[in-house]
Amino acid sequence: MWWGVAAALLANVFISCGFVLEKRALSALPELSVKRPARMVRVLVSSPLWLAGCLSLGLGFAAQLLCYRTLPLAAAQGILVSGLVLLVLLSSRFLGERLSARELAGVAAILLSLGMIVLSLDQDADTVSTSAPAGRFLLVALPSLAAGLWLYLAAELRAKRRHRIPTTGIAYGVGVGFLYGVSSLTIKGVSGLVSGSDVLGTAGDLLASPYPYTLAFTAVAGLVMSQAALQRCRASLIVPVCTTANCLHAVAAGTFVFGEPLPHDAPRLLLRLGGIALAVSVLLALPRHDEQAPEEPAGEAQDPGPVRDGEPEAADDGEPGAVRGEEPEPVRGEAPGPAPATGAGPGPPERRLPAALPPAPVPTPHRGGPVP
């Protein structure tokens, strides 16, 4: 059983490193779309860094085989959730995603939940089941796959709306998490059929079961959906949401599918359920998006301050306006009158040109003296 704990922790290391490597690679790749899966695969396999991340994820899934084979499903999922600790630390170090005080508190709480789950294990009392009827497995797997695809596609449609709220990645993470939840059930079923002594018999049993087909579908669909979501959202956001949905689905559905009983004694039952509930509640309470400081709109006019008397005001068209505190002088030769009312007519008032002044009289010579 303790080999299963070590395998789960090793799987956390490989999976966390794989997600970080893929996120670094996706940041330098062109935008991916689930509508063009063939192009997406060509772009992904052309990146050596992404291939390294994919290899690390594959090693993590291989470690999960040993974990599911030696641990009850609820305990295995509780330990695998603790991989968020390493993921958050790696995201902060290599992806530049800063940890807030709330996220640091969540990391500490998940470490506490890991200790509670490990203390609830008892090698002699716990029952580990590795087989399940095919009909019961499909009864859970098929609706779960349909729900995951529907959630993801609904998020894609909302993202294309013109006046949409910026996505936080929650729907993407839940949709992919449902697919990975079915993948976790499939890996546990495969681990019960794998036998090193009879290779041909193992291959025949696998082909006769629904596991290889659901595993192939979840691998391809999960690859396409998770990479597009990981490119659009933060790794420290999308992966915890996906892990939470995966854990909830695997624990709830796996207990029914594989029929693994919970601990019978009250202290271990409280530790097991309390550790899982604490880990899931912390993941649900983590912030879903970064808080951004309000930015000043570009081109915002600044207050020029008070205008003193006697200084010209700037008009809307850039020409100096009237001087405050001074009355306009009447034009020579024009009788002063009331100023035209603005807005009285359908258009702006017309400017009145000053009337021409009469010519000054020219003095003419006159006998007997000057002209009076």
Side-chain angles (χ1 to χ4, degrees):
M1 180 169 290
W2 299 113
W3 284 104
V5 176
L9 296 177
L10 185 62
N12 287 340
V13 173
F14 282 126
I15 292 175
S16 298
C17 292
F19 276 123
V20 171
L21 289 174
E22 287 186 348
K23 178 63 177 178
R24 286 288 298 269
L26 289 169
S27 300
L29 295 178
E31 184 178 359
L32 304 177
S33 174
V34 294
K35 291 184 176 181
R36 304 177 64 184
R39 176 185 175 273
M40 178 185 294
V41 173
R42 288 197 304 269
V43 171
L44 292 176
V45 298
S46 64
S47 173
L49 187 60
W50 184 88
L51 291 176
C54 189
L55 176 61
S56 181
L57 286 177
L59 293 175
F61 292 143
Q64 285 184 2
L65 285 173
L66 179 60
C67 173
Y68 288 134
R69 190 177 181 88
T70 56
L71 288 178
L73 186 60
Q77 283 296 324
I79 299 176
L80 291 172
V81 166
S82 67
L84 173 65
V85 177
L86 181 60
L87 175 69
V88 171
L89 295 176
L90 292 177
S91 299
S92 176
R93 175 64 179 84
F94 296 102
L95 300 178
E97 298 175 353
R98 294 180 300 173
L99 290 174
S100 63
R102 187 176 174 184
E103 290 171 336
L104 288 174
V107 170
I110 288 180
L111 287 176
L112 176 61
S113 71
L114 172 61
M116 294 171 62
I117 293 171
V118 171
L119 289 176
S120 71
L121 297 176
D122 189 347
Q123 186 173 359
D124 298 328
D126 286 332
T127 302
V128 180
S129 177
T130 56
S131 61
R136 189 186 302 175
F137 171 79
L138 292 176
L139 183 63
V140 172
L142 294 180
S144 301
L145 294 176
L149 293 174
W150 178 80
L151 286 172
Y152 193 94
L153 294 177
E156 284 284 296
L157 293 177
R158 286 194 299 267
K160 293 180 180 179
R161 293 177 182 175
R162 183 176 181 181
H163 302 288
R164 65 180 179 87
I165 301 176
T167 178
T168 58
I170 302 299
Y172 290 121
V174 174
V176 178
F178 269 57
L179 264 70
Y180 283 164
V182 175
S183 179
S184 298
L185 299 180
T186 304
I187 292 175
K188 183 171 179 62
V190 171
S191 67
L193 296 179
V194 172
S195 176
S197 58
D198 187 6
V199 178
L200 294 178
T202 298
D205 293 340
L206 285 175
L207 293 176
S209 69
Y211 299 137
Y213 311 106
T214 54
L215 188 60
F217 178 81
T218 54
V220 175
L223 171 68
V224 174
M225 294 164 58
S226 64
Q227 297 310 301
L230 190 61
Q231 188 183 49
R232 300 171 188 174
C233 309
R234 288 195 306 142
S236 56
L237 166 68
I238 194 71
V239 177
V241 174
C242 178
T243 305
T244 302
N246 181 8
C247 178
L248 288 174
H249 179 276
V251 171
T255 303
F256 167 74
V257 172
F258 293 95
E260 291 180 346
L262 294 172
H264 297 288
D265 52 315
R268 291 198 310 119
L269 179 62
L270 290 177
L271 285 173
R272 179 79 57 84
L273 296 180
I276 294 174
L278 178 59
V280 172
S281 62
V282 169
L283 293 178
L284 292 175
L286 285 174
R288 297 295 182 257
H289 54 83
D290 293 326
E291 296 182 359
Q292 299 180 356
E295 299 180 358
E296 296 183 359
E300 182 178 1
Q302 298 182 354
D303 187 8
V307 180
R308 298 179 180 178
D309 292 343
E311 294 182 358
E313 286 186 39
D316 293 341
D317 55 357
E319 298 178 358
V323 179
R324 290 189 178 180
E326 296 181 1
E327 295 294 335
E329 297 182 358
V331 182
R332 184 178 180 184
E334 180 183 1
T342 59
E350 298 179 357
R351 291 186 179 181
R352 296 182 59 185
L353 297 177
L357 295 177
V362 180
T364 58
H366 188 272
R367 293 180 180 181
V371 177

